[in-house]
Amino acid sequence: MHDKTLAQLSAGLASGEFSSVELTRHFLDRIQRLDATYNSFITVTGSEALAAASAADAKRANGNTVPPLCGVPIVHKDIFCTAGVRTSCASKMLDNFIPPYSATVVENFIDAGAVVLGKTNMDEFAMGSSNETSWYGPVHNPWDTDTVPGGSSGGSAAAVAARLTPAATASDTGGSIRQPAALCGISGLKPTYGRVSRWGMIAFASSLDQGGPLARTAEDLALMMNVMASFDPRDSTSLDLAVPDYTADLDASIEGLRIGIPKEYFDAGLNPKTAEAVQNAIRELEKLGATVHDISLPHSSLSVPAYYVIAPAEASANLSRFDGVRYGHRCENPADLHDLYMRSRAEGFGDEVKRRILVGTYCLSAGYYDAYYNKAQQVRRLIKQDFVNAFEQVDLILGPTCPNPAFAFGSKGDNPVAMYLEDIYTISTNLAGLPGMSIPCGFVDAKPVGLQIIGNYFDEARMLNLAHQFQQVTDWHERSPEGIA
Ligand code: GLN
C-alpha cells in the first residue's frame, strides 16, 4: 500500500480495496519500524490518526459522497499549529507548546477528511537548507543516510521518500519545499504568495513564507493543492480568488508551450552533471511540443544577498514574541524581568536562529536601515521586474532546483554562505512572490536531482500540467531508495 500514490490510495479507498484504518495502521507501523533511521518525525499522532481513520471509514460506509482525500493519511510539517498536539517548529523554545487552535491549512485537511499521522522534523524555525539545525536532531536522507535531506522541510520530504506517508505539508521561505524535494527525489510545489493561508503557520519571514505540498507526483500535488489553497480572511495577505480544480488541466497537451531557460541558472556554480540532467529533461519536454527560448534574469546573483537581509530582518521581528513570558521555554529562577528575557531566549534558540536575529536586528537598526534593509527591498523590486519581463516572452521558466545533489552532514557547517548558496536558484521566486516547483529529473552520483519549474502569478495549474506531462513519459518520480519499495 505504501508504494501507491495519493490518487491511487484515494481510488483504493473508494473501491473498498482497503479501509482507512488498514491504511493508517500500515503507515503507522512503517513509521514505528523505520523512522529511527531517518528521524523524520517529531511527533507521531497514532491514536488521533486511527480515530480519524475510523470516522472516515464510517462516512464512506454510510454511502455518503466524500472528498477525494477522505481517509487518506498525510503528515504536517511541525510549523503548522495543530490544536491539542505539540507544535515545536523544531525548537527547544516551543518543545512544550501545545496550540489551542489549528492553522487554516490544518483545518482544511480536517474538513477534507484526511488522516494526520504526525508532525515532521524541520530546521529550527525553518531556517536552514540541510535539516541540521533541528533541536530534535538531523533528518537522514533515505537515498543515502550519510547525507542531508535538504531543508527546511527535510522531515516532510524524507518521510515521503521513505514511503512513511504518501504526502506532506511543508513551507517555503527561500526554497524549503523545492530544495528538499530535489534532494529526496520527490515533487514539491511552492504556490504563489497569498494562495495558501499563512494563518497558524509559525512565522519566519512573513513576506516570503508560503505553505505548499510535497508528494511523489504532480497529480498528487494537484490533489493536495485542492485542499490547501483557500481564501482566508484571517490572513491579510490571502488573495480572494476562486480556487481552481488543480487536477482539471493535468492531461492537456503542452504543444506550443513556451519555456524560458535563464542563462544565469546555468552558471559556474552549477554542478555539470546536474546541468546535464536538467538539459535532458528540457529535451523531453521539447519532444512533447514545448518550444525552448533563451532568457535572462539579470539580477539573479543578487537574490541571496537581498534575501539574507530581508529574511533575517523579518525573522528578528517575528521571533521577538518568544520572550519566555507568553509562549514556550522559560528559564529557571530568573533574577528579574530582564534576566528572564535574556536567559529564556539564550537557552531556547539554537545558533542559526540567533545568527539570523543578530543580523536582522543589525540591518533594521537606525543608521543601517537605509544602507541594508531599504537597499535589499530595492533589489527585490529589480528581481521581480526581471520575472515580469521574462513572462512577456515565455509561459514557464525552467532550470535546476539546486546546484548539487544531497551533501554530507557537517560538510557546510563552518561556512554559512556555502549553505546559503544551495538556495541560489530558488530564493528569487520567494522575493518575487511567484510559484515554483521541483520534480525529479535524474540522478547525479546515485543521488536524485530536481528540475525547477517557475510560473507566473497564480499559474500553478499550468506548472502542474507540464510536470504531469513530463511524468507520463519519464519514470524518475517512480524510483525509490534501495530497500524502500
Ligand atoms: N534555506 C533558506 C534559509 O535558511 C530557506 C529556508 C526556507 O525556505 N524556510 O533561510
Side-chain angles (χ1 to χ4, degrees):
M1 281 188 274
H2 55 267
D3 210 37
K4 291 193 188 316
T5 64
L6 213 56
Q8 289 164 342
L9 292 176
S10 172
L13 285 168
S15 69
E17 193 186 324
F18 38 77
S19 70
S20 174
V21 168
E22 283 168 332
L23 196 56
T24 303
R25 283 221 170 93
H26 179 77
F27 279 108
L28 287 172
D29 174 62
R30 282 182 69 76
I31 294 167
Q32 204 189 4
R33 280 191 296 115
L34 304 172
D35 200 45
T37 310
Y38 310 118
N39 196 29
S40 63
F41 282 81
I42 291 176
T43 305
V44 179
T45 48
S47 49
E48 291 91 334
L50 286 168
S54 309
D57 284 338
K59 255 188 233 157
R60 284 195 195 266
N62 290 341
N64 303 327
T65 359
V66 296
L69 296 193
C70 181
V72 176
I74 60 149
V75 298
H76 289 304
K77 181 176 181 178
D78 209 17
I79 198 168
F80 291 99
C81 285
T82 40
V85 174
R86 173 178 59 173
T87 300
S88 71
C89 232
S91 181
K92 180 180 176 187
M93 184 57 95
L94 290 177
D95 181 48
N96 60 3
F97 177 57
I98 298 181
Y101 63 91
S102 289
T104 299
V105 161
V106 171
E107 283 180 352
N108 288 354
F109 279 102
I110 292 171
D111 294 346
V115 170
V116 180
L117 301 170
K119 309 287 298 286
T120 53
N121 205 346
M122 51 183 281
D123 278 302
E124 185 180 4
F125 282 102
M127 298 173 189
S129 306
S130 66
N131 228 294
E132 291 170 293
T133 72
S134 169
W135 162 249
Y136 302 92
V139 176
H140 296 256
N141 190 321
W143 289 91
D144 175 351
T145 50
D146 292 333
T147 64
V148 306
S152 64
S153 314
S156 285
V160 173
R163 314 306 195 238
L164 306 182
T165 179
T169 60
S171 68
D172 190 312
T173 304
S176 280
I177 290 176
R178 292 159 287 162
Q179 191 248 8
L183 270 47
C184 288
I186 62 167
S187 305
L189 170 66
K190 171 226 163 314
T192 309
Y193 185 76
R195 179 71 291 186
V196 167
S197 169
R198 289 184 298 108
W199 195 80
M201 187 174 94
I202 295 173
F204 162 12
S206 310
S207 77
L208 302 158
D209 297 342
Q210 187 62 196
L214 285 163
R216 303 229 305 280
T217 65
E219 183 183 24
D220 285 0
L221 294 179
L223 287 167
M224 291 287 283
M225 277 298 287
N226 281 353
V227 176
M228 282 186 96
S230 61
F231 166 60
D232 184 1
R234 293 178 296 193
D235 171 357
S236 62
T237 58
S238 172
L239 263 287
D240 189 359
L241 207 68
V243 178
D245 174 1
Y246 289 102
T247 63
D249 297 331
L250 291 175
D251 292 324
S253 158
I254 59 162
E255 179 90 45
L257 196 81
R258 298 168 303 165
I259 293 175
I261 312 294
K263 65 168 186 277
E264 293 80 5
Y265 284 29
F266 292 83
D267 56 2
L270 178 63
N271 181 321
K273 293 185 201 163
T274 308
E276 199 184 313
V278 171
Q279 297 289 8
N280 289 340
I282 293 166
R283 271 195 285 280
E284 281 302 328
L285 292 163
E286 272 187 295
K287 282 193 223 154
L288 294 174
T291 60
V292 173
H293 309 264
D294 292 331
I295 60 163
S296 174
L297 299 168
H299 298 94
S300 295
S301 65
L302 301 180
S303 64
V304 169
Y307 173 91
Y308 279 99
V309 172
I310 294 168
E314 294 185 15
S316 71
N318 275 324
L319 270 58
S320 65
R321 74 191 66 175
F322 302 107
D323 54 8
V325 176
R326 285 168 288 193
Y327 315 83
H329 178 73
R330 180 179 297 173
C331 68
E332 300 270 340
N333 305 319
D336 53 26
L337 185 62
H338 200 240
D339 185 43
L340 171 88
Y341 290 152
M342 299 262 288
R343 278 204 290 127
S344 298
R345 287 168 69 80
E347 291 166 10
F349 292 136
D351 288 349
E352 184 61 25
V353 173
K354 285 178 187 156
R355 184 176 2 241
R356 309 273 178 124
I357 292 172
L358 287 173
V359 170
T361 308
Y362 178 83
C363 294
L364 290 177
S365 56
Y368 296 109
Y369 188 96
D370 284 336
Y372 295 109
Y373 185 72
N374 263 351
K375 187 60 83 186
Q377 292 289 19
Q378 287 163 348
V379 170
R380 180 177 193 172
R381 173 49 69 103
L382 293 174
I383 289 168
K384 178 191 167 183
Q385 193 57 43
D386 283 353
F387 283 109
V388 170
N389 297 344
F391 283 121
E392 278 169 12
Q393 304 159 47
V394 296
D395 301 308
L396 295 173
I397 295 172
L398 260 57
T401 307
C402 310
N404 296 299
F407 44 92
F409 290 104
S411 60
K412 299 189 196 283
D414 301 338
N415 185 351
V417 176
M419 182 79 86
Y420 297 170
L421 286 172
E422 286 302 311
D423 294 327
I424 179 105
Y425 308 126
T426 51
I427 274 179
S428 50
T429 55
N430 299 74
L431 290 168
L434 288 164
M437 73 188 280
S438 179
I439 55 173
C441 75
F443 289 84
V444 169
D445 305 331
K447 298 184 189 74
V449 289
L451 170 73
Q452 185 174 203
I453 306 166
I454 299 170
N456 210 339
Y457 297 103
F458 299 101
D459 219 1
E460 287 86 354
R462 199 198 300 255
M463 299 157 65
L464 289 162
N465 168 221
L466 176 107
H468 182 68
Q469 290 305 307
F470 180 75
Q471 292 183 337
Q472 299 310 293
V473 294
T474 57
D475 67 355
W476 305 115
H477 60 288
E478 286 169 6
R479 314 280 182 96
S480 55
E482 223 177 277
I484 292 290

mmCIF file of all heavy atoms in Angstrom, residues 81-109:
data_model
loop_
_atom_site.group_PDB
_atom_site.id
_atom_site.type_symbol
_atom_site.label_atom_id
_atom_site.label_comp_id
_atom_site.label_asym_id
_atom_site.label_seq_id
_atom_site.Cartn_x
_atom_site.Cartn_y
_atom_site.Cartn_z
ATOM 1 N N CYS A 81 0.353 24.958 13.236
ATOM 2 C CA CYS A 81 -0.259 24.733 14.547
ATOM 3 C C CYS A 81 -1.364 23.696 14.455
ATOM 4 O O CYS A 81 -2.209 23.739 13.546
ATOM 5 C CB CYS A 81 -0.846 26.042 15.086
ATOM 6 S SG CYS A 81 0.421 27.169 15.670
ATOM 7 N N THR A 82 -1.348 22.756 15.410
ATOM 8 C CA THR A 82 -2.351 21.702 15.473
ATOM 9 C C THR A 82 -2.955 21.723 16.879
ATOM 10 O O THR A 82 -2.229 21.522 17.859
ATOM 11 C CB THR A 82 -1.696 20.329 15.210
ATOM 12 O OG1 THR A 82 -0.428 20.291 15.876
ATOM 13 C CG2 THR A 82 -1.475 20.073 13.733
ATOM 14 N N ALA A 83 -4.254 21.986 16.962
ATOM 15 C CA ALA A 83 -4.917 22.117 18.271
ATOM 16 C C ALA A 83 -4.703 20.849 19.083
ATOM 17 O O ALA A 83 -4.966 19.739 18.613
ATOM 18 C CB ALA A 83 -6.411 22.364 18.068
ATOM 19 N N GLY A 84 -4.185 21.014 20.296
ATOM 20 C CA GLY A 84 -4.033 19.874 21.204
ATOM 21 C C GLY A 84 -2.820 19.001 20.933
ATOM 22 O O GLY A 84 -2.563 18.061 21.671
ATOM 23 N N VAL A 85 -2.068 19.298 19.864
ATOM 24 C CA VAL A 85 -0.882 18.496 19.539
ATOM 25 C C VAL A 85 0.333 19.434 19.495
ATOM 26 O O VAL A 85 0.303 20.462 18.796
ATOM 27 C CB VAL A 85 -1.035 17.782 18.176
ATOM 28 C CG1 VAL A 85 0.252 17.067 17.787
ATOM 29 C CG2 VAL A 85 -2.204 16.808 18.203
ATOM 30 N N ARG A 86 1.378 19.057 20.212
ATOM 31 C CA ARG A 86 2.580 19.883 20.267
ATOM 32 C C ARG A 86 3.006 20.394 18.890
ATOM 33 O O ARG A 86 3.015 19.634 17.907
ATOM 34 C CB ARG A 86 3.734 19.070 20.862
ATOM 35 C CG ARG A 86 5.046 19.828 20.796
ATOM 36 C CD ARG A 86 6.174 19.094 21.415
ATOM 37 N NE ARG A 86 6.417 17.797 20.794
ATOM 38 C CZ ARG A 86 7.465 17.032 21.114
ATOM 39 N NH1 ARG A 86 8.307 17.434 22.029
ATOM 40 N NH2 ARG A 86 7.635 15.868 20.534
ATOM 41 N N THR A 87 3.360 21.658 18.824
ATOM 42 C CA THR A 87 3.843 22.275 17.582
ATOM 43 C C THR A 87 5.144 22.982 17.947
ATOM 44 O O THR A 87 5.144 24.050 18.542
ATOM 45 C CB THR A 87 2.795 23.262 17.038
ATOM 46 O OG1 THR A 87 1.584 22.524 16.787
ATOM 47 C CG2 THR A 87 3.264 23.913 15.757
ATOM 48 N N SER A 88 6.270 22.378 17.586
ATOM 49 C CA SER A 88 7.556 22.810 18.142
ATOM 50 C C SER A 88 8.365 23.708 17.227
ATOM 51 O O SER A 88 9.286 24.384 17.678
ATOM 52 C CB SER A 88 8.405 21.580 18.466
ATOM 53 O OG SER A 88 8.837 20.972 17.254
ATOM 54 N N CYS A 89 8.073 23.698 15.900
ATOM 55 C CA CYS A 89 8.925 24.382 14.931
ATOM 56 C C CYS A 89 10.378 23.905 15.094
ATOM 57 O O CYS A 89 11.315 24.630 14.765
ATOM 58 C CB CYS A 89 8.813 25.901 15.082
ATOM 59 S SG CYS A 89 8.434 26.720 13.533
ATOM 60 N N ALA A 90 10.533 22.700 15.602
ATOM 61 C CA ALA A 90 11.851 22.073 15.802
ATOM 62 C C ALA A 90 12.778 22.904 16.686
ATOM 63 O O ALA A 90 13.994 22.879 16.535
ATOM 64 C CB ALA A 90 12.530 21.743 14.467
ATOM 65 N N SER A 91 12.173 23.650 17.630
ATOM 66 C CA SER A 91 12.960 24.499 18.524
ATOM 67 C C SER A 91 12.734 24.084 19.973
ATOM 68 O O SER A 91 11.608 23.766 20.368
ATOM 69 C CB SER A 91 12.526 25.961 18.357
ATOM 70 O OG SER A 91 13.281 26.798 19.196
ATOM 71 N N LYS A 92 13.799 24.154 20.747
ATOM 72 C CA LYS A 92 13.655 23.953 22.190
ATOM 73 C C LYS A 92 12.672 24.984 22.753
ATOM 74 O O LYS A 92 11.943 24.725 23.708
ATOM 75 C CB LYS A 92 15.026 24.101 22.858
ATOM 76 C CG LYS A 92 15.000 23.923 24.355
ATOM 77 C CD LYS A 92 16.376 24.090 24.964
ATOM 78 C CE LYS A 92 16.309 23.995 26.475
ATOM 79 N NZ LYS A 92 17.596 24.312 27.100
ATOM 80 N N MET A 93 12.663 26.164 22.115
ATOM 81 C CA MET A 93 11.783 27.239 22.568
ATOM 82 C C MET A 93 10.328 26.783 22.628
ATOM 83 O O MET A 93 9.577 27.206 23.507
ATOM 84 C CB MET A 93 11.934 28.429 21.597
ATOM 85 C CG MET A 93 11.166 29.665 21.962
ATOM 86 S SD MET A 93 11.573 30.287 23.593
ATOM 87 C CE MET A 93 12.824 31.502 23.232
ATOM 88 N N LEU A 94 9.905 25.926 21.679
ATOM 89 C CA LEU A 94 8.492 25.524 21.615
ATOM 90 C C LEU A 94 8.304 24.036 21.916
ATOM 91 O O LEU A 94 7.261 23.470 21.581
ATOM 92 C CB LEU A 94 7.915 25.885 20.240
ATOM 93 C CG LEU A 94 7.731 27.384 19.986
ATOM 94 C CD1 LEU A 94 7.214 27.648 18.578
ATOM 95 C CD2 LEU A 94 6.781 28.000 21.006
ATOM 96 N N ASP A 95 9.293 23.440 22.543
ATOM 97 C CA ASP A 95 9.218 21.997 22.837
ATOM 98 C C ASP A 95 7.971 21.663 23.659
ATOM 99 O O ASP A 95 7.429 20.569 23.553
ATOM 100 C CB ASP A 95 10.492 21.585 23.596
ATOM 101 C CG ASP A 95 10.511 20.105 23.907
ATOM 102 O OD1 ASP A 95 10.235 19.310 22.978
ATOM 103 O OD2 ASP A 95 10.785 19.737 25.060
ATOM 104 N N ASN A 96 7.512 22.632 24.460
ATOM 105 C CA ASN A 96 6.351 22.355 25.323
ATOM 106 C C ASN A 96 5.096 23.098 24.856
ATOM 107 O O ASN A 96 4.147 23.254 25.616
ATOM 108 C CB ASN A 96 6.677 22.758 26.773
ATOM 109 C CG ASN A 96 7.007 24.250 26.869
ATOM 110 O OD1 ASN A 96 6.932 24.965 25.865
ATOM 111 N ND2 ASN A 96 7.367 24.722 28.050
ATOM 112 N N PHE A 97 5.079 23.554 23.607
ATOM 113 C CA PHE A 97 3.951 24.382 23.140
ATOM 114 C C PHE A 97 2.837 23.525 22.529
ATOM 115 O O PHE A 97 3.041 22.851 21.519
ATOM 116 C CB PHE A 97 4.449 25.407 22.110
ATOM 117 C CG PHE A 97 3.357 26.254 21.508
ATOM 118 C CD1 PHE A 97 2.508 27.014 22.306
ATOM 119 C CD2 PHE A 97 3.180 26.301 20.129
ATOM 120 C CE1 PHE A 97 1.494 27.789 21.749
ATOM 121 C CE2 PHE A 97 2.183 27.083 19.562
ATOM 122 C CZ PHE A 97 1.338 27.824 20.378
ATOM 123 N N ILE A 98 1.670 23.576 23.144
ATOM 124 C CA ILE A 98 0.504 22.873 22.592
ATOM 125 C C ILE A 98 -0.519 23.931 22.207
ATOM 126 O O ILE A 98 -1.133 24.565 23.068
ATOM 127 C CB ILE A 98 -0.076 21.874 23.617
ATOM 128 C CG1 ILE A 98 1.008 20.830 23.922
ATOM 129 C CG2 ILE A 98 -1.347 21.216 23.085
ATOM 130 C CD1 ILE A 98 0.614 19.757 24.880
ATOM 131 N N PRO A 99 -0.668 24.185 20.906
ATOM 132 C CA PRO A 99 -1.530 25.296 20.484
ATOM 133 C C PRO A 99 -2.992 25.015 20.814
ATOM 134 O O PRO A 99 -3.443 23.870 20.735
ATOM 135 C CB PRO A 99 -1.342 25.352 18.964
ATOM 136 C CG PRO A 99 -0.260 24.414 18.618
ATOM 137 C CD PRO A 99 -0.059 23.493 19.767
ATOM 138 N N PRO A 100 -3.724 26.071 21.149
ATOM 139 C CA PRO A 100 -5.156 25.904 21.392
ATOM 140 C C PRO A 100 -5.980 25.947 20.095
ATOM 141 O O PRO A 100 -7.195 25.854 20.144
ATOM 142 C CB PRO A 100 -5.490 27.110 22.292
ATOM 143 C CG PRO A 100 -4.481 28.144 21.935
ATOM 144 C CD PRO A 100 -3.243 27.417 21.479
ATOM 145 N N TYR A 101 -5.324 26.132 18.958
ATOM 146 C CA TYR A 101 -6.058 26.235 17.684
ATOM 147 C C TYR A 101 -5.226 25.606 16.577
ATOM 148 O O TYR A 101 -4.030 25.379 16.733
ATOM 149 C CB TYR A 101 -6.351 27.700 17.344
ATOM 150 C CG TYR A 101 -5.102 28.517 17.121
ATOM 151 C CD1 TYR A 101 -4.554 28.648 15.844
ATOM 152 C CD2 TYR A 101 -4.441 29.126 18.193
ATOM 153 C CE1 TYR A 101 -3.386 29.365 15.642
ATOM 154 C CE2 TYR A 101 -3.280 29.851 18.005
ATOM 155 C CZ TYR A 101 -2.765 29.965 16.730
ATOM 156 O OH TYR A 101 -1.619 30.667 16.523
ATOM 157 N N SER A 102 -5.905 25.342 15.449
ATOM 158 C CA SER A 102 -5.205 24.770 14.291
ATOM 159 C C SER A 102 -5.044 25.803 13.196
ATOM 160 O O SER A 102 -5.914 26.679 13.027
ATOM 161 C CB SER A 102 -5.998 23.589 13.722
ATOM 162 O OG SER A 102 -5.931 22.498 14.599
ATOM 163 N N ALA A 103 -3.958 25.671 12.432
ATOM 164 C CA ALA A 103 -3.737 26.516 11.255
ATOM 165 C C ALA A 103 -4.871 26.291 10.256
ATOM 166 O O ALA A 103 -5.488 25.218 10.238
ATOM 167 C CB ALA A 103 -2.403 26.157 10.610
ATOM 168 N N THR A 104 -5.115 27.287 9.412
ATOM 169 C CA THR A 104 -6.144 27.136 8.375
ATOM 170 C C THR A 104 -5.851 25.925 7.497
ATOM 171 O O THR A 104 -6.760 25.160 7.154
ATOM 172 C CB THR A 104 -6.209 28.424 7.517
ATOM 173 O OG1 THR A 104 -6.569 29.501 8.389
ATOM 174 C CG2 THR A 104 -7.211 28.306 6.392
ATOM 175 N N VAL A 105 -4.580 25.740 7.138
ATOM 176 C CA VAL A 105 -4.207 24.588 6.306
ATOM 177 C C VAL A 105 -4.593 23.281 7.012
ATOM 178 O O VAL A 105 -5.137 22.360 6.392
ATOM 179 C CB VAL A 105 -2.688 24.630 6.008
ATOM 180 C CG1 VAL A 105 -2.162 23.270 5.577
ATOM 181 C CG2 VAL A 105 -2.392 25.679 4.935
ATOM 182 N N VAL A 106 -4.334 23.219 8.306
ATOM 183 C CA VAL A 106 -4.660 22.009 9.069
ATOM 184 C C VAL A 106 -6.178 21.801 9.092
ATOM 185 O O VAL A 106 -6.677 20.688 8.878
ATOM 186 C CB VAL A 106 -4.069 22.116 10.494
ATOM 187 C CG1 VAL A 106 -4.562 20.991 11.391
ATOM 188 C CG2 VAL A 106 -2.537 22.129 10.422
ATOM 189 N N GLU A 107 -6.914 22.898 9.301
ATOM 190 C CA GLU A 107 -8.387 22.805 9.291
ATOM 191 C C GLU A 107 -8.895 22.343 7.929
ATOM 192 O O GLU A 107 -9.838 21.555 7.847
ATOM 193 C CB GLU A 107 -9.001 24.177 9.614
ATOM 194 C CG GLU A 107 -8.942 24.512 11.083
ATOM 195 C CD GLU A 107 -9.559 25.875 11.381
ATOM 196 O OE1 GLU A 107 -9.901 26.620 10.431
ATOM 197 O OE2 GLU A 107 -9.680 26.182 12.573
ATOM 198 N N ASN A 108 -8.274 22.855 6.861
ATOM 199 C CA ASN A 108 -8.716 22.448 5.521
ATOM 200 C C ASN A 108 -8.606 20.936 5.343
ATOM 201 O O ASN A 108 -9.465 20.303 4.739
ATOM 202 C CB ASN A 108 -7.874 23.145 4.434
ATOM 203 C CG ASN A 108 -8.203 24.623 4.308
ATOM 204 O OD1 ASN A 108 -9.126 25.120 4.945
ATOM 205 N ND2 ASN A 108 -7.435 25.338 3.482
ATOM 206 N N PHE A 109 -7.502 20.357 5.862
ATOM 207 C CA PHE A 109 -7.336 18.899 5.734
ATOM 208 C C PHE A 109 -8.310 18.145 6.642
ATOM 209 O O PHE A 109 -8.764 17.053 6.292
ATOM 210 C CB PHE A 109 -5.884 18.482 5.998
ATOM 211 C CG PHE A 109 -5.002 18.680 4.801
ATOM 212 C CD1 PHE A 109 -4.141 19.768 4.719
ATOM 213 C CD2 PHE A 109 -5.054 17.798 3.722
ATOM 214 C CE1 PHE A 109 -3.344 19.971 3.604
ATOM 215 C CE2 PHE A 109 -4.261 17.994 2.596
ATOM 216 C CZ PHE A 109 -3.399 19.088 2.541
#
